[in-house]
């Protein structure tokens, strides 16, 4: 009751009414909402119900959920690379067993079933462990962080996420383990025995046909020499018949059915990722980006191996440096882990670089660019008769100036080219402009810094039908051209206005900008208030200005811009920390793949270390060779990840956020250091045991 006596409610003042309606439990909320809109089409209400009481929080949670899903998918891709490498290494260790089974009559299908069943059992155990951890993680989260949340969480068991996670795990294991399984199934026994030294290429169905040629002696190769029965028996050449200058080669192959299975696995993963995402369009973009990144990393790794092979074949280039030649040879030799490490570790580092670069650009925008051009205070709800008094107050104060006042009235867009706003076909990116009312103003001359995108500004003494200048992004999103009409509801009155021009607005300048500016001669007659901006050049002047305005004008809301920017920066830093911690899961998956790859090559490294020591190399020299190999691998991986991550951040910052982008050197340097340290530590731990092996047992086994 005392509100009216406060003097705060005047013509043109900005205030809102909130109504809370208690309905019967049997009320259909959707139907009730539709009846309200139908009964009061021009009310402009924002209607929320108990199903979505806070749309902002729901949108935030949906975006966090989407981000976590994308991080999880990236981790699955990295883990999939590890699965493929682990299965390949495991089957390679079973070469003698597989070859023996095939020689005694085991069919290729039986080989695939035996080891496919083993992989399925291991995958099932891994999925079960992951589900158990996932179920108990919310309980741990509530225990550790429940007190800092504004709501009380009650962890419950939800079946759908567990089912989706299980499907992701099963499809990942199936898709990434299928290729090495097919390879082991199809290769002939003799080729299997040789595979450790020279891996056999697996040909696609369309690459297999009647291949005949002539050997170096000019004799035609017999097709019968390459025939292989179902038991895997081959001729004396092992199904891999080659001679010097021979154009004939028939390697193992995979069938069309295998291609179909592999395609189904890939498409199943893609469909599940898109179907389970809160934003399918973003999920599709992520999938395409991930595939592009994997192709780039794999291609770069192969190119790096090719370069290493060429350099290691040039003895003059590294003359007197056997460590360098040995390290280069290790990057491309049979069984090298180069491709797997570059892809898995590179994907994790790419995510971290992209996040660090985005966060660095946003922080720079808020902490460096904005404060220099931002006003000290925004003043809202300033009445017309208070403007002269405010101008006098500012003029009498030292270290205070740049006062800018602008009239403001609230209104909302109800029709676009005669079509009701809720039915108009518009770009989803500008839908926000139709939700509720917007601030509008009038001006005879263009605001300072105005850049017209289309049309011309009206004359300063314009008198005629209502015309407006519109934000160019809104004009394009609404599909408007010069001369098109909009219907605006201002103080309950519908007004038809004509688009005279559109402007390119830099909202990051924090200066007073309006989406809608009226030509003079119309809004002046309506009751309205003013908003103002003012600058203070010192903290003392800022405090004095704040006290003077609030004492003199109790109805005016004073918004300190510096404190708002500090709050925004603090929130961004907390969000960035949480995002980095979450994205570190992907990097952890890459580290595990790296560790697995090094562990898989342990026996080879033991052999290399023993032979080098027998030939006179000291332990530290052997260690230097291994560390040089991993150092080269780390530097190249970091360089690729930096480029990919920077490209991703540029796209997001410039295209999605519409902000300026700059190269964040800190994230690049930290990425390189992190990659080198992780790779060297993993390599050191993986080779230290190999350095301590005795030479005699290995040589006796040989």
């Amino acid at each position: 009751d005392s509100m009216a006596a406060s003097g705060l409610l005047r013509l043109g003042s900005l205030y809102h009414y909130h109504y809370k309606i208690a309905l019967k439990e049997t009320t259909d909320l959707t139907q009730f909402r539709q009846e309200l809109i139908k009964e009061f089409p021009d009310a402009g209400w924002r209607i929320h119900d108990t199903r979505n009481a806070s749309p902002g929080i729901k949108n935030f949670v949906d975006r966090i959920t989407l981000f976590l899903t994308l991080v999880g998918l990236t981790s699955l891709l990295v883990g999939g690379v590890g699965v493929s490498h682990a299965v390949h290494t495991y089957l390679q260790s079973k070469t003698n067993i597989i070859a023996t089974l095939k020689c005694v009559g085991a069919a290729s299908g039986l080989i695939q079933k035996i080891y496919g069943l083993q992989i399925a059992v291991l995958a099932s155990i891994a999925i079960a462990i992951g589900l158990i951890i996932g179920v108990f993680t919310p309980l741990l989260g509530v225990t550790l962080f429940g007190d800092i949340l504004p709501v009380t969480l009650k962890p419950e068991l939800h079946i759908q996420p567990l089912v989706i996670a299980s499907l992701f795990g099963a499809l990942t294991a199936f898709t990434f383990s299928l290729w090495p399984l097919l390879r082991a199934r199809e290769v002939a026994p003799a080729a299997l025995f040789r595979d450790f030294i020279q891996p056999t290429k697996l040909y696609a169905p369309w690459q297999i046909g009647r291949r005949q040629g002539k050997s170096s002696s000019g004799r035609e190769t017999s097709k019968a020499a390459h025939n292989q029965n179902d038991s895997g028996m081959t001729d004396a050449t092992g199904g891999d018949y080659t001679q010097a200058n021979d154009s004939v080669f028939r390697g193992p192959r995979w069938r069309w059915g295998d291609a179909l299975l592999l395609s189904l696995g890939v498409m199943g993963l893609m469909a599940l990722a898109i179907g389970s995402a809160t934003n399918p369009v973003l999920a599709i973009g992520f999938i395409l980006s991930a595939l592009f990144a994997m192709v780039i990393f794999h291609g770069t790794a192969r190119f790096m191996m090719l370069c290493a092979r060429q350099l290691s074949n040039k003895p003059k280039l590294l003359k007197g440096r056997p460590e360098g030649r040995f390290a280069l040879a290790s990057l491309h030799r049979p069984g090298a882990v180069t491709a797997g490490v570059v892809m898995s570790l590179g994907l994790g580092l790419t995510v971290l670089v992209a996040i660090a670069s985005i966060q660095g650009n946003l922080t720079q925008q808020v902490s460096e660019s904005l404060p220099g051009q931002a006003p000290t205070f925004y003043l809202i709800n300033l009445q017309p008769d208070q403007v002269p008094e405010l101008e006098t107050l500012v003029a009498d104060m030292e270290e205070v100036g740049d006062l800018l006042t602008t009239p403001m009235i609230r209104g909302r867009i109800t029709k676009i080219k005669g079509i009701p706003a809720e039915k108009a076909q518009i770009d989803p990116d500008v839908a926000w402009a139709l939700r509720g009312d917007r601030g509008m103003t009038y001006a005879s001359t263009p605001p300072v810094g105005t850049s017209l995108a289309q049309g011309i500004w009206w004359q300063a003494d314009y008198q005629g039908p209502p015309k407006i200048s519109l934000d160019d992004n809104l004009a394009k999103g609404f599909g408007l051209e010069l001369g098109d009409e909009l219907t605006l509801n201002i103080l309950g009155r519908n007004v038809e206005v004509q688009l005279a021009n559109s402007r390119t607005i830099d909202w990051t300048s924090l200066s007073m900008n309006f989406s809608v500016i009226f030509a003079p001669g119309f809004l002046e007659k309506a009751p309205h208030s003013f908003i103002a901006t003012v600058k203070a050049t010192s903290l003392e002047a800022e405090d004095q200005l704040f006290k003077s305005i609030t004492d003199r004008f109790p109805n005016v809301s004073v918004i300190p811009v510096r404190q708002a920017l500090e709050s925004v920066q603090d929130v961004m830093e907390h969000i960035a920390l949480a995002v980095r911690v979450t994205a570190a899961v992907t990097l952890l998956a890459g580290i595990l793949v790296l560790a697995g790859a090094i562990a898989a090559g342990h026996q080879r490294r033991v052999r290399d270390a023993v032979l080098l020591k027998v030939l006179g190399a000291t332990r530290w020299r052997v260690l230097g060779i291994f560390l040089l190999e991993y150092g080269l691998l780390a530097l190249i991986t970091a360089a690729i990840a930096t480029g990919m991550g920077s490209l991703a951040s540029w796209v997001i910052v410039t295209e999605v956020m519409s902000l300026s982008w700059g190269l964040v050197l800190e994230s690049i340097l930290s990425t390189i250091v992190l990659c080198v340290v992780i790779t060297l530590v993993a390599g050191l731990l993986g080779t230290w045991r190999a350095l301590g092996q005795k030479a005699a047992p290995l040589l006796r086994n040989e």
Side-chain angles (χ1 to χ4, degrees), residues 3-17:
M3 191 67 178
S6 67
L8 296 175
L9 303 184
R10 307 183 182 186
L11 287 176
S13 296
L14 176 62
Y15 57 95
H16 301 274
Y17 287 98

Side-chain angles (χ1 to χ4, degrees), residues 339-417:
V341 171
V342 169
M343 186 179 296
S344 57
L345 193 59
L347 283 174
L349 287 170
T350 298
V351 174
L352 286 182
V353 170
I355 292 173
S357 181
I358 293 171
Q359 190 261 340
N361 276 278
L362 292 179
T363 300
Q364 185 177 12
Q365 192 82 16
V366 173
S367 61
E368 298 180 9
S369 301
L370 295 184
Q373 55 189 343
T376 305
F377 294 117
Y378 274 98
L379 310 180
I380 299 177
N381 221 22
L382 188 68
Q383 299 303 309
D385 59 343
Q386 295 174 325
V387 172
E389 189 176 356
L390 176 65
E391 292 174 345
T392 302
L393 184 150
V394 170
D396 293 340
M397 296 185 66
E398 297 181 358
E399 298 183 305
V400 175
D402 293 338
L403 175 66
L404 178 63
T405 60
T406 304
M408 187 189 72
I409 192 170
R410 306 290 291 188
R412 63 188 180 89
I413 301 172
T414 58
K415 292 182 180 180
I416 300 175
K417 294 191 290 190

Side-chain angles (χ1 to χ4, degrees), residues 128-435:
I129 294 174
L131 294 181
I132 293 172
I133 295 175
V135 167
F136 285 98
T137 297
L139 295 175
L140 179 62
V142 171
T143 303
L144 296 178
F145 309 109
D147 295 337
I148 66 175
L149 296 175
V151 295
T152 301
L153 296 183
K154 296 180 179 180
E156 298 177 355
L157 182 64
H158 297 276
I159 302 300
Q160 183 180 0
L162 299 181
V163 173
I164 293 176
S166 301
L167 290 175
F168 270 123
L171 284 172
T172 301
F174 170 79
T175 304
F176 284 90
S177 63
L178 186 60
W179 180 261
L181 270 175
L182 297 176
R183 191 171 185 277
R185 180 198 71 184
E186 291 295 336
V187 180
L192 275 170
F193 286 118
R194 291 197 302 267
D195 198 51
F196 183 76
I197 302 300
Q198 183 175 358
T200 309
K201 186 176 180 182
L202 188 58
Y203 284 93
W206 55 84
Q207 294 175 293
I208 305 299
R210 294 184 59 185
R211 298 188 175 204
Q212 298 187 29
K214 293 186 178 182
S215 65
S216 56
S217 61
R219 294 175 298 176
E220 184 174 350
T221 305
S222 171
K223 292 185 294 180
H226 300 288
N227 290 336
Q228 178 180 353
N229 57 32
D230 186 59
S231 66
M233 300 296 291
T234 61
D235 66 324
T237 65
D240 186 11
Y241 178 76
T242 54
Q243 295 183 8
N245 300 323
D246 193 1
S247 61
V248 180
F249 181 88
R250 180 177 184 269
R253 64 185 178 88
W254 50 287
R255 306 178 179 91
W256 287 107
D258 302 332
L260 179 60
L261 283 177
L262 192 60
S263 301
L264 288 176
V266 174
M267 290 189 294
L269 276 174
M270 295 173 61
L272 188 59
I274 296 171
S276 61
T278 55
N279 188 334
V281 176
L282 188 57
I284 294 174
F286 166 80
I287 291 173
L288 296 177
S289 301
L291 292 176
F292 173 75
M294 292 183 70
V295 170
I296 293 296
F297 278 116
H298 184 75
T300 305
R302 292 297 177 185
F303 178 73
M304 181 174 67
M305 295 171 69
L306 177 62
C307 293
R309 180 181 294 109
Q310 295 298 325
L311 291 176
S312 61
N313 290 332
K314 297 182 181 299
K316 294 183 180 180
L317 186 64
L318 296 172
K319 185 177 181 180
R321 298 183 180 275
E323 296 90 346
R325 293 186 63 188
F326 195 94
L328 286 174
S330 299
L331 293 177
H332 68 81
R333 65 181 176 181
V337 298
T338 303
V341 171
V342 169
M343 186 179 296
S344 57
L345 193 59
L347 283 174
L349 287 170
T350 298
V351 174
L352 286 182
V353 170
I355 292 173
S357 181
I358 293 171
Q359 190 261 340
N361 276 278
L362 292 179
T363 300
Q364 185 177 12
Q365 192 82 16
V366 173
S367 61
E368 298 180 9
S369 301
L370 295 184
Q373 55 189 343
T376 305
F377 294 117
Y378 274 98
L379 310 180
I380 299 177
N381 221 22
L382 188 68
Q383 299 303 309
D385 59 343
Q386 295 174 325
V387 172
E389 189 176 356
L390 176 65
E391 292 174 345
T392 302
L393 184 150
V394 170
D396 293 340
M397 296 185 66
E398 297 181 358
E399 298 183 305
V400 175
D402 293 338
L403 175 66
L404 178 63
T405 60
T406 304
M408 187 189 72
I409 192 170
R410 306 290 291 188
R412 63 188 180 89
I413 301 172
T414 58
K415 292 182 180 180
I416 300 175
K417 294 191 290 190
I419 302 174
E422 62 274 10
K423 296 181 180 179
Q425 299 293 325
I426 63 171
D427 190 330
D429 291 338
V430 299
W432 58 269
L434 303 181
R435 293 191 289 265

Side-chain angles (χ1 to χ4, degrees), residues 436-661:
D437 51 4
R438 307 257 72 82
M440 304 177 185
T441 189
Y442 57 89
S444 57
T445 58
V448 177
T450 296
S451 175
L452 291 179
Q454 55 178 340
I456 58 174
W457 198 263
W458 44 76
Q459 296 178 353
D461 57 351
Y462 174 81
Q463 295 292 326
K467 289 185 177 183
I468 63 168
S469 174
L470 195 63
D471 175 17
D472 190 57
N473 288 329
L474 292 183
K476 293 178 179 177
F478 292 161
L480 295 176
E481 297 180 356
L482 297 180
D484 287 342
E485 290 188 346
L486 288 175
T487 302
L488 306 177
N489 185 285
I490 302 175
L491 299 180
R493 175 185 172 185
N494 286 326
V495 180
E496 291 186 356
V497 298
Q498 189 180 66
L499 180 63
N501 59 71
S502 63
R503 295 162 289 121
T504 301
I505 302 177
D506 179 16
W507 296 103
T508 63
S509 66
L510 293 186
S511 59
M512 281 195 290
N513 287 309
F514 290 83
S515 300
V516 180
I517 298 180
F518 273 76
F522 180 76
L523 284 186
E524 297 94 326
K525 305 172 185 177
H528 58 272
S529 62
F530 279 73
I531 62 174
T533 59
V534 63
K535 277 189 178 182
T537 57
S538 67
L539 293 178
E540 294 78 9
E542 181 179 332
D543 294 337
Q544 182 61 35
L545 179 62
F546 181 85
K547 186 176 183 301
S548 300
I549 293 176
T550 52
D551 289 345
R552 188 80 61 88
F553 311 107
N555 63 296
V556 174
S557 298
V558 182
I559 302 176
V561 177
R562 178 177 57 82
Q563 295 180 11
L565 290 176
E566 290 176 354
S567 299
V568 170
Q569 186 172 354
D570 185 61
V571 170
M572 286 175 56
E573 289 177 353
H574 282 81
I575 292 176
L577 177 61
V579 168
R580 286 188 183 184
V581 171
T582 306
V585 174
T586 304
L587 182 61
L588 178 61
I591 295 173
L592 292 176
V593 173
L594 172 62
I598 294 174
H602 176 68
Q603 292 300 324
R604 184 188 293 271
R605 304 220 167 266
V606 169
R607 178 187 176 90
D608 292 342
V610 168
L611 292 177
L612 287 171
K613 287 194 293 183
V614 168
L615 294 174
T618 63
R619 174 178 294 192
W620 289 107
R621 194 167 190 178
V622 175
L623 180 62
I625 292 174
F626 289 152
L627 292 184
L628 181 58
E629 173 191 349
Y630 288 113
L632 290 173
L633 200 59
L635 289 174
I636 296 173
T637 303
I640 304 170
T642 298
M644 296 290 292
S646 299
L647 176 62
S649 68
W650 175 80
V651 172
I652 293 174
V653 171
T654 59
E655 300 300 324
V656 178
M657 299 181 177
S658 299
L659 299 174
S660 59
W661 181 87

